[in-house]
Amino acid sequence: MSSFLKKTLSGIKVAHHKNTKDCETVVMPIPQKVSLPMLQHMGAPCEPLVKVNDTVCVGQLIGSSDKFMSAPIHSSVSGRVAAIEEFINPLGVRTQSAVIETDGEQRVDPSVKAPVVTNKEEFLAAIKASGLIGLGGAGFPTHIKLNPPKPEQVDTLVINGAECEPYITTDYREFMENGEEVLEGIGHVARYLELKYVKIGIEDNKPEAIAKMKELCAGHEGYEVVALKSSYPQGAEKVLVYETTGRVIREGQLPADAGVIVMNVSSVGFVARYLKTGMPLVTKRITVDGTAVAEPKNVVVPVGTHISDVMEFCGGYKKEPKLILMGGPMTGIAVYDDAFPVIKNNNAILAFDEEFINIEPETPCIRCGRCVQACPFDLMPAALEKAYKAKDVDALKALKVNLCMECGCCSYVCPAKRNLAFTNRMAKKFLRENTSK
């Protein structure tokens, strides 16, 4: 589709607060213990493969599942399994967690070795064994994403480097610090999946990353770096695909239905490193920032590191935190204390003080229409709220609630401070429960 024929999708302007964009990534020392939940991805949880008092090494497989939608869990440290305990994640989902007391030696498991990959089947098997999931937030197992039902219909790889959420700069640092590996990972995916085109989407407020990737992509036929307008939610999958390719992912469809596979920039960078070393996904780069953080940084931490330990490494709290988020301020998940561990798809830990948080009470809708204007898909959040409260299944279907990606634009612009995005989440859950009977 020619760019001049494309509709400009709605969205909102948010303060970027990219305070750590020039902070080169630092590696955090190994903490005294880590907690590794058996559910760090979309789909079925893993079953622990270790028991209390077992000795484990870095990269050792400690959790697995025979379910289709799952991803294996590996130890991020060497040490002793101190407990296998129940873990309740911030969304209230119960699973098991392996608590490992570290020995500081970081002994690597003998199983860790570069995989032999010569064809698509071996490539997909290697990706599954690596434990890779979507690192941009959703946590979809990557080996499933890379193996769509009709691969012959897929011709394009879209790399998500938009990073439109305020504060977060981990993807930007991946471009700037590991651009060559990003390109290498892209090459592996494109080659083994036989994809003709590559679109690398980066917001235009990151000119250094755009320039670097254009230079690296020079001479690669079918590769294009697309400078996206700087607005939220450019990094949302449906928006990104449309803005980079002009293709539309319709209600109920996946990107593959539009001929596209979408991967986060950090995910493809990991692919390159894994194929060279065989080290599974056991570390994570996160942005640590917010008004309560003493020393904002980009930090590589072992998966399972407790937020409290991350904060201590970043100088502790300079003010009492009243809100701690795993992820960005638009779509992140609030946690009730800092004992939660960093998991694979965390890309930020943000902590804010009471003065920064100004939670105003909801008031009645004034029918201003700002939520409709802000929605990238022209949904009608106020009407959806009314339909949900009335438990009107037919109205929710007609109003296309399942198109909502819960980006939060509607809640952000609402002068009545109504939590419209959360209502849409509940409405989608209600619709699923009442159409499957």
Side-chain angles (χ1 to χ4, degrees), residues 4-23:
F4 65 86
L5 293 177
K6 286 170 55 181
K7 171 189 173 184
T8 299
L9 296 181
S10 300
I12 57 175
K13 289 289 185 181
V14 295
H16 295 290
H17 296 298
K18 301 292 188 180
N19 309 314
T20 59
K21 81 178 191 68
D22 295 322
C23 294

Side-chain angles (χ1 to χ4, degrees), residues 220-274:
H220 290 266
E221 185 177 357
Y223 286 39
E224 180 185 4
V225 178
V226 181
L228 307 169
K229 65 178 181 180
S230 180
S231 67
Y232 180 85
Q234 280 288 10
E237 198 168 64
K238 288 183 173 68
V239 175
L240 179 71
V241 169
Y242 180 76
E243 295 291 355
T244 55
T245 70
R247 300 178 188 181
V248 176
I249 304 172
R250 303 193 182 279
E251 184 179 11
Q253 290 187 332
L254 295 173
D257 296 312
V260 173
I261 285 175
V262 180
M263 292 186 72
N264 175 266
V265 56
S266 295
S267 297
V268 290
F270 169 81
V271 168
R273 290 187 287 276
Y274 177 72

Side-chain angles (χ1 to χ4, degrees), residues 17 19 167 289-294 296 311 316-325 329 349-359:
H17 296 298
N19 309 314
Y167 292 95
D289 203 350
T291 57
V293 179
M311 289 300 179
Y317 300 110
K318 64 181 180 182
K319 296 181 181 179
E320 183 181 356
K322 290 296 182 179
L323 175 65
I324 298 176
L325 292 174
I349 301 295
L350 307 180
F352 300 100
D353 67 297
E354 186 171 24
E355 183 179 352
F356 182 85
I357 302 167
N358 183 24
I359 302 176

Side-chain angles (χ1 to χ4, degrees), residues 102-328:
T102 63
D103 57 19
E105 297 178 9
Q106 289 301 88
R107 290 171 285 105
V108 176
D109 191 74
S111 65
V112 174
K113 55 185 67 176
V116 176
V117 175
T118 60
N119 55 46
K120 179 180 177 180
E121 289 70 27
E122 292 175 345
F123 177 67
L124 293 175
I127 296 300
K128 181 176 182 179
S130 76
L132 180 61
I133 63 173
L135 300 182
F140 195 91
T142 303
H143 67 279
I144 297 175
K145 177 186 291 189
L146 298 183
N147 191 24
K150 299 178 180 179
E152 69 281 358
Q153 297 181 2
V154 180
D155 63 0
T156 301
L157 175 64
V158 172
I159 302 302
N160 190 346
E163 201 161 51
C164 56
E165 280 257 16
Y167 292 95
I168 306 175
T169 61
T170 55
D171 286 345
Y172 176 76
R173 294 313 308 174
E174 181 72 16
F175 280 127
M176 300 309 295
E177 297 173 23
N178 303 314
E180 291 79 5
E181 288 182 328
V182 169
L183 190 66
E184 185 180 346
I186 289 171
H188 289 311
V189 176
R191 179 169 64 259
Y192 289 118
L193 272 59
E194 299 181 358
L195 304 176
K196 296 180 181 178
Y197 309 107
V198 173
K199 307 285 186 180
I200 304 173
I202 308 174
E203 277 195 316
D204 60 13
N205 64 345
K206 305 173 182 67
E208 297 90 348
I210 292 172
K212 178 166 187 173
M213 293 313 298
K214 282 187 174 181
E215 180 180 355
L216 289 173
C217 289
H220 290 266
E221 185 177 357
Y223 286 39
E224 180 185 4
V225 178
V226 181
L228 307 169
K229 65 178 181 180
S230 180
S231 67
Y232 180 85
Q234 280 288 10
E237 198 168 64
K238 288 183 173 68
V239 175
L240 179 71
V241 169
Y242 180 76
E243 295 291 355
T244 55
T245 70
R247 300 178 188 181
V248 176
I249 304 172
R250 303 193 182 279
E251 184 179 11
Q253 290 187 332
L254 295 173
D257 296 312
V260 173
I261 285 175
V262 180
M263 292 186 72
N264 175 266
V265 56
S266 295
S267 297
V268 290
F270 169 81
V271 168
R273 290 187 287 276
Y274 177 72
L275 293 184
K276 287 185 288 190
T277 67
M279 179 59 71
L281 184 56
V282 295
T283 62
K284 191 68 174 69
R285 180 196 284 113
I286 58 173
T287 295
V288 184
D289 203 350
T291 57
V293 179
E295 301 171 10
K297 296 177 181 178
N298 287 305
V299 187
V300 167
V301 305
V303 172
T305 301
H306 295 162
I307 294 173
S308 56
D309 290 327
V310 177
M311 289 300 179
E312 183 179 350
F313 177 67
C314 294
Y317 300 110
K318 64 181 180 182
K319 296 181 181 179
E320 183 181 356
K322 290 296 182 179
L323 175 65
I324 298 176
L325 292 174
M326 300 175 77

Side-chain angles (χ1 to χ4, degrees), residues 251 383-403 424 426-437:
E251 184 179 11
L384 285 165
E385 181 186 46
K386 181 179 179 180
Y388 172 64
K389 288 182 176 180
K391 305 303 180 189
D392 189 335
V393 170
D394 291 335
L396 289 172
K397 289 180 179 178
L399 291 165
K400 303 291 185 183
V401 68
N402 282 326
L403 270 178
N424 283 353
M426 298 303 294
K428 290 193 288 184
K429 181 176 183 291
F430 169 77
L431 191 59
R432 286 195 301 270
E433 293 171 347
N434 288 272
T435 55
S436 59
K437 296 178 180 178

